[in-house]
Amino acid sequence: MKKFINDPDAVVDEMVDGFLYAHGDRIRRLAEARTLVRADAPVKGKVGIVTGGGSGHKPSFIGYIGKGMLDAVAVGEIFTSPPPGAVYEAIKATDGGKGVLLLLGNYAGDVMNFDMAAELARGDGIEVEQSIATDDVGSGFKDDKSKRRGVVGEFLIWKMTGAMAERGESLSEVKRIADKVNQNTRTMGVAISPCTVPAAGKPTFTLADDEMEVGVGHHGEPGLRREKLKPVDEIVDMLCAEVISDLPFKAGDEVVTLINGLGATPQLELYIANRRLFKNVTDKGIRVYRALVGEFFTALEMAGFSITLCRLDDELKELLDAEAYTPYFTQAGR
Amino acid sequence: MKKFINDPDAVVDEMVDGFLYAHGDRIRRLAEARTLVRADAPVKGKVGIVTGGGSGHKPSFIGYIGKGMLDAVAVGEIFTSPPPGAVYEAIKATDGGKGVLLLLGNYAGDVMNFDMAAELARGDGIEVEQSIATDDVGSGFKDDKSKRRGVVGEFLIWKMTGAMAERGESLSEVKRIADKVNQNTRTMGVAISPCTVPAAGKPTFTLADDEMEVGVGHHGEPGLRREKLKPVDEIVDMLCAEVISDLPFKAGDEVVTLINGLGATPQLELYIANRRLFKNVTDKGIRVYRALVGEFFTALEMAGFSITLCRLDDELKELLDAEAYTPYFTQAGR
Amino acid sequence: MGEMHMGNTGEVAKITSKDVLAAIYRMCDAVEENKGYLCELDAALGDGDHGVSMSKSFRAVRDKLPSLEGKDVGTILRAVGMALISTVGGAMGPLFGSAFLKAGERAAGKQEIGLDDIVDMFIAGEEAIVARGKAKVGDKTLLDTVHPAVEAIKEAKEEGLSISEALRRATGAAELGMKSTIDMIARVGRASRLGERTIGHQDPGATSAYIIIKAASMPYL
Amino acid sequence: MGEMHMGNTGEVAKITSKDVLAAIYRMCDAVEENKGYLCELDAALGDGDHGVSMSKSFRAVRDKLPSLEGKDVGTILRAVGMALISTVGGAMGPLFGSAFLKAGERAAGKQEIGLDDIVDMFIAGEEAIVARGKAKVGDKTLLDTVHPAVEAIKEAKEEGLSISEALRRATGAAELGMKSTIDMIARVGRASRLGERTIGHQDPGATSAYIIIKAASMPYL
Ligand SMILES: Nc1ncnc2c1ncn2[C@@H]1O[C@H](COP(=O)(O)OP(=O)(O)O)[C@@H](O)[C@H]1O
Ligand SMILES: Nc1ncnc2c1ncn2[C@@H]1O[C@H](COP(=O)(O)OP(=O)(O)O)[C@@H](O)[C@H]1O
Ligand SMILES: [Mg+2]
Ligand SMILES: [Mg+2]
Ligand SMILES: [Mg+2]
Ligand SMILES: [Mg+2]
């Protein structure tokens, strides 16, 4: 394991310190738990948007705390759901009187810990709702899509849900947007090299020099199958076929496309993939409203990428384009 | 070589296509050469800011095209200076009547190609000046710092020089800022794994499992020495010692610090490094005005990072904080 | 540490709060010893962190133990449960944490427990795991270890056996249960997405449940 | 292609524009063959791309060649120079490009060149390289190949030797010059930052200059 770390068990605490040295003007840490919140939380008259999960996904989750996106993040150990207490403190710190929406990925640990936190907060009389992301086509379950993992689609959920909350809408309206984005979003990824959880010290999987894992999860979970590595155009064609047919996306639809690098894959390669993604989508008569390319939700130093399509209507377009001010996604209106 | 590419010789052209599919609303390609410019170039009454260099450094250079930063970028092959024609077209496309400033790193190829372009443009009667970045302490030359490589310090030069140009200042004033930032900026980096130029097919260097290259260049050029890998705190201490003593930065100085990931190093690790950087700098009585952490100037999939310090005065602080709207650095005033 | 907290051996009729504390120390040691092994199991089925989460969780438990000397069984178990749900999270925090919290409720105020109490506590623990995780027996989770152990200890009580014999049976049943997960298809949790490819791999959560039950029962085996 | 463009062999007094075109084809082939080798040399001293840049540059040159059939020597060499500076850039574009452009100026309009012209062209090429790169002999660059070659061909002319003999001498001097870079410390370019660690490595630019001179002279050697 070749990493720039000190104590493998202290990586998350040390990372949080370093993060606050960089972004402490807009984000603060709660005293009660390892929970980071917008400096100005709670924002009165606004639904609080709380998320959280395991660490190692930078810029997710904490890189998206700020106006127009997230109010608070409960920070777990590497790839490990945060405990209920961290989520509970997040809820209390961000309730501006209109309730709090919990956004999470569909992982047993997150579901249970967020559930416990929601129970605690409801006990305090805070209105709490949840929306669980399930965008990963690579996790299978064609027959019961609610069982799928949530992956980088969560970024789109945060963006649009955060914009909805910023407008001062009600908790149920804000939750409606989170569910709507999730229902219209599909992702699938591939990996060509693994990542290593520092405290475990060993790569999560091994691949031969000419192999790729198709449908990989963003913690290195095995995907749908292993295949020989192919030219990226063929990989993108394959991912597009699975993603497009799943919703299905149809001619006349308008979408935001997203290519997410999983960590070690150079942006150069992501843009080469974007070139082919654009062709695939437009060839099907689907209109690309916006194309996002970059690292939005990584898996430590895994080499790989995913493609995401999210179907938009006028309501979602407006929310996607709304202002946002966070360390890793700033958009001053368009 | 495990990469998401098609033809190794076509990577840059395909990347540019994919980039324009994502950012074509604000950036366009010239017909005459592989040169990307702000959609609204030339901006009347503003000095044109032109840079360029080899590809493989994403988000540099093209990710910083936009209001408040760069007007045009001449796009070279991977790690290879662009030809004079691409720079010459960039100059012609961005001259808004106040002349054009060429910003480049101190590499023989870039210096010669930009020189040739400047000669051509001056022949057309366009006022052209140059400023050459030399921030890399890791390239040695304690006795003649003008011979050093330019590395991620270029990002800071683009930011502040771009802001100065946006104000409508004269070419000589804008050049003064570029030179001033360069004179006050020092960088040094380490790498623990190499990168592979697609057309070459082989890693640029090899390191043992417990080794790091100290002072590495951002094309994988050998640095000052090889050492055993150490805990990141010790690495940061070492880099800080070299960088701080070089200018030297002194108690009472105010600086912007920058930690730049070279490609495959997770942001988690960069923030752990930032924690220690902050301590080193403040222990010396130097004030951290802002701390930037992320990938600003990469070397394909190299694993490694660098630290940069840039001494600020009131003039530079204002320029650093000025608005910028580019694909990879957006700042809506602070 | 090991020696000091070994507790009683041989046939016993009562277990003291001191014995319980000793049992928790043994759990902490056993989890730490198996950290790497649990990660390996999880790498095949999930994200490879199970040993790390368990180890961090039980280190947090261990840190609490000195302050629990002399406390009653209920207090000790609830403190363990709180440490589990407060520190790390993961899937194990809520599952093991809820189990200890609920078991602790059944032993509230008791300085000594008999087999009746122990059976009650096992039942409460299993109920908590089901309530929290909504898994069923056969889903390839820690429930496949816990459920047969609870059934075995209930039977032992009905047959009027000693605590030692009852724990022996529970541990044996837990081991069989753990091994039974090898042939199962995961139906819940991260591994469920692998479907049939989970066959042939022992479930990490089922394994750590066995490690914990065995460590607790050790002196009585 | 190779066979077709071999040009004359043996002692010759004149070189036609057709011969020059053939020489350029040979250069393109030689650069392509040595692509990997040149990258390896550059990996030790620089950024490992020298072979790639040279190969891309000379592929661009090759693409221009069919349109140059029948053109005069000056036009051919200027077109080669333009292709070199227009396509890839790098350090080689301006250096080799300027050399061909300047050499081409000296042969403007000529369908045939003699040794006088060739010497003139060599001198112009070297001057262009110095003017562009500002390196000195001994700095461990392609100049350490080019300069001794130019000196040798000048001498050969003064001694009244044939074109073949002059090119033979120039190629021999170029080879020695290339090899002399092994013991040098790089003073300019990317490699200069390595200081003494550049000793023991042959300069990639000096190597490609030799490859080009040798390929041009091949039929006369
Ligand atoms: N809903 C559930 N009910 C019971 N046990 C579960 C459930 N979900 C997961 N598990 C258990 O969790 C174990 C994985 O734990 P761990 O690796 O620590 O968490 P994660 O999957 O979040 O990384 C599985 O082996 C399984 O036994
Ligand atoms: N100023 C210069 N003058 C002459 N030759 C130079 C100069 N700078 C570099 N070179 C030559 O360039 C070669 C490296 O070329 P190349 O690898 O293609 O460019 P880069 O260094 O930009 O990657 C060196 O081996 C050296 O011979
Ligand atoms: Mg996990
Ligand atoms: Mg180069
Ligand atoms: Mg796990
Ligand atoms: Mg080179």
Side-chain angles (χ1 to χ4, degrees):
Chain A
M1 179 178 57
K2 221 171 173 182
K3 282 180 184 287
F4 293 112
I5 58 172
N6 299 301
D7 173 4
D9 285 322
V11 291
V12 178
D13 283 324
E14 294 188 357
M15 174 276 287
V16 167
D17 285 352
F19 184 83
L20 290 173
Y21 286 144
H23 308 294
D25 53 339
R26 332 192 217 172
I27 295 169
R28 62 186 162 88
R29 181 187 168 144
L30 298 181
E32 300 80 9
R34 195 165 64 196
T35 300
L36 302 189
V37 304
R38 263 173 77 163
D40 59 348
V43 181
K44 254 207 134 66
K46 186 185 104 58
V47 168
I49 305 293
V50 167
T51 187
S55 291
H57 300 300
K58 288 276 107 34
S60 294
F61 305 72
I62 56 179
Y64 299 117
I65 298 175
K67 187 155 186 261
M69 288 188 76
L70 305 175
D71 292 275
V73 170
V75 179
E77 288 298 302
I78 303 285
F79 293 177
T80 303
S81 172
V87 181
Y88 173 55
E89 297 299 338
I91 298 170
K92 287 196 295 181
T94 59
D95 178 33
K98 296 194 84 162
V100 172
L101 179 63
L102 304 183
L103 298 176
L104 54 148
N106 192 22
Y107 300 92
D110 291 315
V111 170
M112 292 186 286
N113 286 296
F114 277 70
D115 264 347
M116 291 178 85
E119 286 165 22
L120 289 168
R122 286 192 192 111
D124 291 350
I126 302 177
E127 247 193 302
V128 181
E129 291 283 354
Q130 298 200 6
S131 178
I132 299 180
T134 56
D135 57 310
D136 190 5
V137 176
S139 41
F141 291 113
K142 280 241 172 280
D143 41 331
D144 184 359
K145 296 179 179 176
S146 74
K147 289 193 172 166
R148 288 174 169 172
R149 295 183 291 247
V151 283
V152 67
E154 293 182 50
F155 166 80
L156 295 172
I157 296 175
W158 301 331
K159 173 66 195 74
M160 292 184 246
T161 306
M164 190 72 173
E166 211 67 56
R167 284 190 197 165
E169 303 277 356
S170 70
L171 180 56
S172 65
E173 271 294 278
V174 175
K175 173 174 157 56
R176 179 179 65 77
I177 293 298
D179 292 340
K180 177 172 167 181
V181 176
N182 186 51
Q183 278 149 23
N184 285 285
T185 301
R186 294 292 183 278
T187 297
M188 188 156 149
V190 291
I192 50 175
S193 76
C195 58
T196 299
V197 175
K202 275 192 245 166
T204 46
F205 57 87
T206 46
L207 283 170
D209 273 357
D210 61 347
E211 273 183 340
M212 62 180 173
E213 180 77 31
V214 177
V216 70
H218 65 196
H219 310 91
E221 297 100 325
L224 297 174
R225 57 186 181 269
R226 278 190 184 182
E227 289 188 17
K228 294 267 169 249
L229 183 60
K230 298 184 281 198
V232 65
D233 280 0
E234 289 174 40
I235 298 173
V236 171
D237 291 351
M238 171 189 72
L239 295 176
C240 281
E242 305 237 20
V243 162
I244 291 174
S245 66
D246 193 84
L247 189 66
F249 295 89
K250 298 204 202 88
D253 283 350
E254 257 189 301
V255 297
V256 50
T257 61
L258 186 154
I259 297 209
N260 179 50
L262 287 171
T265 292
Q267 275 185 32
L268 177 99
E269 298 174 26
L270 303 182
Y271 279 112
I272 295 175
N274 189 51
R275 174 175 171 274
R276 189 69 174 192
L277 170 62
F278 186 86
K279 182 180 158 46
N280 267 281
V281 172
T282 53
D283 278 359
K284 282 252 181 318
I286 301 165
R287 204 187 144 238
V288 177
Y289 178 69
R290 272 181 80 177
L292 301 170
V293 179
E295 291 180 350
F296 298 91
F297 206 123
T298 60
L300 294 172
E301 69 283 354
M302 196 186 291
F305 71 96
S306 64
I307 69 157
T308 301
L309 262 64
C310 167
R311 185 167 53 195
L312 301 172
D313 59 11
D314 288 343
E315 179 180 44
L316 294 186
K317 280 191 226 169
E318 218 180 301
L319 294 169
L320 182 65
D321 291 342
E323 299 195 359
Y325 300 87
T326 78
Y328 281 89
F329 192 79
T330 295
Q331 192 171 263
R334 283 170 73 93
Chain B
M1 179 178 58
K2 222 171 172 183
K3 283 180 183 287
F4 293 112
I5 60 172
N6 300 300
D7 173 5
D9 286 322
V11 291
V12 178
D13 283 324
E14 293 187 358
M15 174 275 289
V16 167
D17 285 352
F19 184 84
L20 290 173
Y21 285 144
H23 308 294
D25 53 338
R26 333 191 217 172
I27 295 169
R28 64 186 160 87
R29 181 188 169 144
L30 298 181
E32 300 79 6
R34 197 166 62 197
T35 300
L36 302 190
V37 303
R38 267 171 74 162
D40 59 349
V43 182
K44 254 207 135 65
K46 186 184 104 56
V47 168
I49 306 293
V50 167
T51 186
S55 291
H57 300 300
K58 289 277 106 34
S60 292
F61 305 74
I62 57 180
Y64 299 117
I65 297 175
K67 188 156 186 261
M69 287 188 77
L70 304 174
D71 291 275
V73 169
V75 179
E77 288 299 302
I78 303 285
F79 293 176
T80 302
S81 173
V87 181
Y88 172 56
E89 296 300 336
I91 297 171
K92 287 196 295 182
T94 59
D95 178 35
K98 294 192 85 163
V100 172
L101 179 62
L102 304 183
L103 298 177
L104 55 147
N106 192 21
Y107 298 92
D110 291 315
V111 170
M112 291 187 285
N113 286 295
F114 277 70
D115 264 347
M116 290 178 84
E119 285 164 22
L120 289 168
R122 286 190 192 113
D124 291 351
I126 303 177
E127 247 193 302
V128 181
E129 290 284 353
Q130 298 201 4
S131 177
I132 300 180
T134 56
D135 57 310
D136 190 5
V137 175
S139 42
F141 291 112
K142 281 240 172 280
D143 41 331
D144 184 0
K145 296 178 179 176
S146 73
K147 287 192 173 166
R148 287 175 168 170
R149 294 183 292 247
V151 285
V152 66
E154 293 182 49
F155 166 80
L156 296 172
I157 296 175
W158 300 331
K159 172 67 194 75
M160 294 184 245
T161 306
M164 190 70 173
E166 211 67 56
R167 286 191 194 163
E169 302 277 355
S170 70
L171 180 56
S172 65
E173 270 294 278
V174 175
K175 174 177 158 52
R176 179 180 64 77
I177 292 298
D179 292 340
K180 178 173 167 180
V181 176
N182 185 53
Q183 278 149 23
N184 285 284
T185 302
R186 294 292 183 278
T187 298
M188 188 155 148
V190 291
I192 51 175
S193 77
C195 58
T196 299
V197 174
K202 276 192 247 169
T204 46
F205 57 86
T206 45
L207 283 170
D209 273 356
D210 62 346
E211 272 182 340
M212 61 179 174
E213 180 78 31
V214 178
V216 71
H218 65 197
H219 310 91
E221 297 100 323
L224 297 174
R225 58 186 180 269
R226 276 189 186 183
E227 288 188 16
K228 294 267 169 249
L229 183 60
K230 299 184 281 198
V232 64
D233 280 0
E234 289 175 39
I235 297 172
V236 171
D237 290 352
M238 170 189 74
L239 296 176
C240 281
E242 305 238 19
V243 162
I244 291 174
S245 65
D246 193 86
L247 189 68
F249 295 91
K250 297 204 202 86
D253 283 351
E254 256 188 304
V255 298
V256 49
T257 62
L258 186 154
I259 297 210
N260 179 51
L262 286 171
T265 293
Q267 275 185 33
L268 178 99
E269 299 176 26
L270 303 182
Y271 279 112
I272 295 176
N274 190 49
R275 173 175 171 274
R276 189 70 176 190
L277 171 61
F278 186 86
K279 183 179 157 46
N280 267 281
V281 172
T282 53
D283 278 359
K284 281 250 180 323
I286 301 164
R287 200 180 151 247
V288 177
Y289 178 70
R290 274 181 78 178
L292 302 170
V293 180
E295 291 181 349
F296 299 90
F297 206 123
T298 60
L300 294 171
E301 69 282 353
M302 197 186 292
F305 71 96
S306 63
I307 68 156
T308 301
L309 262 65
C310 167
R311 184 166 55 197
L312 301 172
D313 58 12
D314 288 343
E315 179 179 44
L316 294 186
K317 280 192 224 169
E318 217 180 301
L319 294 169
L320 181 66
D321 290 343
E323 299 194 359
Y325 300 88
T326 78
Y328 282 89
F329 192 80
T330 296
Q331 191 170 263
R334 283 172 72 94
Chain C
M1 196 72 71
E3 208 65 22
M4 214 174 95
H5 300 282
M6 280 301 285
N8 300 323
T9 54
E11 303 300 317
V12 290
K14 286 280 176 195
I15 285 184
T16 65
S17 64
K18 209 174 147 193
D19 297 332
V20 168
L21 207 57
I24 312 277
Y25 272 110
R26 289 193 302 274
M27 291 179 195
C28 294
D29 289 344
V31 164
E32 198 60 34
E33 270 162 35
N34 287 286
K35 177 178 166 185
Y37 172 55
L38 293 171
C39 281
E40 272 167 42
L41 291 178
D42 194 32
L45 289 174
D47 56 354
D49 66 348
H50 187 66
V52 173
S53 307
M54 288 296 291
S55 150
K56 288 209 173 178
S57 301
F58 278 86
R59 282 191 212 166
V61 167
R62 180 188 283 273
D63 290 345
K64 284 274 157 63
L65 296 186
S67 68
L68 297 172
E69 302 273 353
K71 295 276 159 49
D72 65 275
V73 176
T75 304
I76 291 171
L77 294 186
R78 281 203 307 271
V80 169
M82 279 309 293
L84 288 173
I85 69 162
S86 309
T87 329
V88 175
M92 290 304 104
L95 290 169
F96 282 122
S98 303
F100 277 92
L101 284 173
K102 287 290 175 193
E105 283 178 18
R106 303 296 171 93
K110 304 200 176 172
Q111 287 290 354
E112 239 181 34
I113 49 175
L115 185 52
D116 281 10
D117 299 309
I118 297 177
V119 169
D120 258 14
M121 287 156 61
F122 264 75
I123 292 173
E126 182 184 353
E127 281 172 3
I129 289 169
V130 171
R132 190 87 272 155
K134 299 180 182 70
K136 291 187 296 291
V137 172
D139 282 355
K140 197 172 183 131
T141 71
L142 72 173
L143 205 57
D144 293 306
T145 298
V146 171
H147 180 72
V150 174
E151 291 304 303
I153 206 166
K154 279 204 290 201
E155 259 179 53
K157 186 190 103 177
E158 276 151 31
E159 291 177 28
L161 301 178
S162 70
I163 290 186
S164 311
E165 184 55 27
L167 286 174
R168 227 171 272 143
R169 294 229 191 148
T171 307
E175 184 171 10
L176 287 178
M178 166 184 83
K179 287 187 178 155
S180 75
T181 64
I182 297 177
D183 296 328
M184 293 179 184
I185 297 180
R187 301 279 177 210
V188 300
R190 205 181 288 278
S192 62
R193 281 109 193 188
L194 297 182
E196 308 218 326
R197 281 176 295 161
T198 57
I199 296 174
H201 299 282
Q202 185 170 302
D203 181 61
T207 309
S208 52
Y210 168 66
I211 287 167
I212 283 172
I213 292 172
K214 187 180 163 200
S217 311
M218 185 80 83
Y220 315 98
L221 300 183
Chain D
M1 196 73 71
E3 207 66 20
M4 213 175 98
H5 298 284
M6 281 299 286
N8 299 323
T9 54
E11 303 300 316
V12 292
K14 286 282 178 192
I15 285 184
T16 65
S17 64
K18 208 174 149 193
D19 297 331
V20 169
L21 208 56
I24 312 279
Y25 272 110
R26 289 194 303 272
M27 289 179 195
C28 295
D29 290 343
V31 165
E32 199 58 35
E33 269 162 37
N34 286 285
K35 177 177 164 183
Y37 172 57
L38 293 172
C39 281
E40 272 166 43
L41 291 178
D42 194 32
L45 290 174
D47 56 354
D49 66 347
H50 186 66
V52 173
S53 307
M54 288 295 292
S55 150
K56 287 208 172 176
S57 300
F58 278 87
R59 280 191 213 167
V61 167
R62 179 188 285 273
D63 290 345
K64 284 275 157 65
L65 296 185
S67 68
L68 297 172
E69 302 273 353
K71 295 276 158 52
D72 66 274
V73 177
T75 303
I76 292 171
L77 294 187
R78 280 202 310 270
V80 169
M82 278 310 295
L84 289 173
I85 68 162
S86 308
T87 329
V88 177
M92 291 305 103
L95 290 169
F96 282 123
S98 303
F100 277 93
L101 285 173
K102 287 291 174 192
E105 284 178 18
R106 302 295 172 95
K110 301 197 176 175
Q111 287 290 353
E112 238 181 34
I113 48 174
L115 185 52
D116 281 10
D117 299 308
I118 297 177
V119 169
D120 258 13
M121 288 156 59
F122 264 75
I123 293 173
E126 181 185 353
E127 281 171 4
I129 289 169
V130 171
R132 191 86 274 153
K134 301 187 181 66
K136 291 187 296 293
V137 172
D139 282 354
K140 194 170 184 135
T141 71
L142 73 173
L143 205 58
D144 294 306
T145 297
V146 171
H147 179 72
V150 174
E151 290 305 303
I153 206 168
K154 279 204 288 201
E155 259 179 53
K157 184 190 104 175
E158 276 152 33
E159 292 177 27
L161 302 178
S162 69
I163 290 185
S164 312
E165 184 54 30
L167 287 174
R168 225 171 275 144
R169 294 231 191 147
T171 306
E175 183 171 11
L176 287 178
M178 167 185 83
K179 288 187 175 154
S180 74
T181 64
I182 297 178
D183 296 327
M184 292 178 185
I185 297 181
R187 301 279 176 210
V188 300
R190 205 180 289 277
S192 62
R193 281 106 192 190
L194 298 183
E196 307 217 326
R197 281 177 296 161
T198 57
I199 295 175
H201 299 282
Q202 183 168 304
D203 182 62
T207 309
S208 54
Y210 168 67
I211 288 167
I212 283 172
I213 291 172
K214 186 177 162 200
S217 312
M218 186 80 84
Y220 314 98
L221 300 182

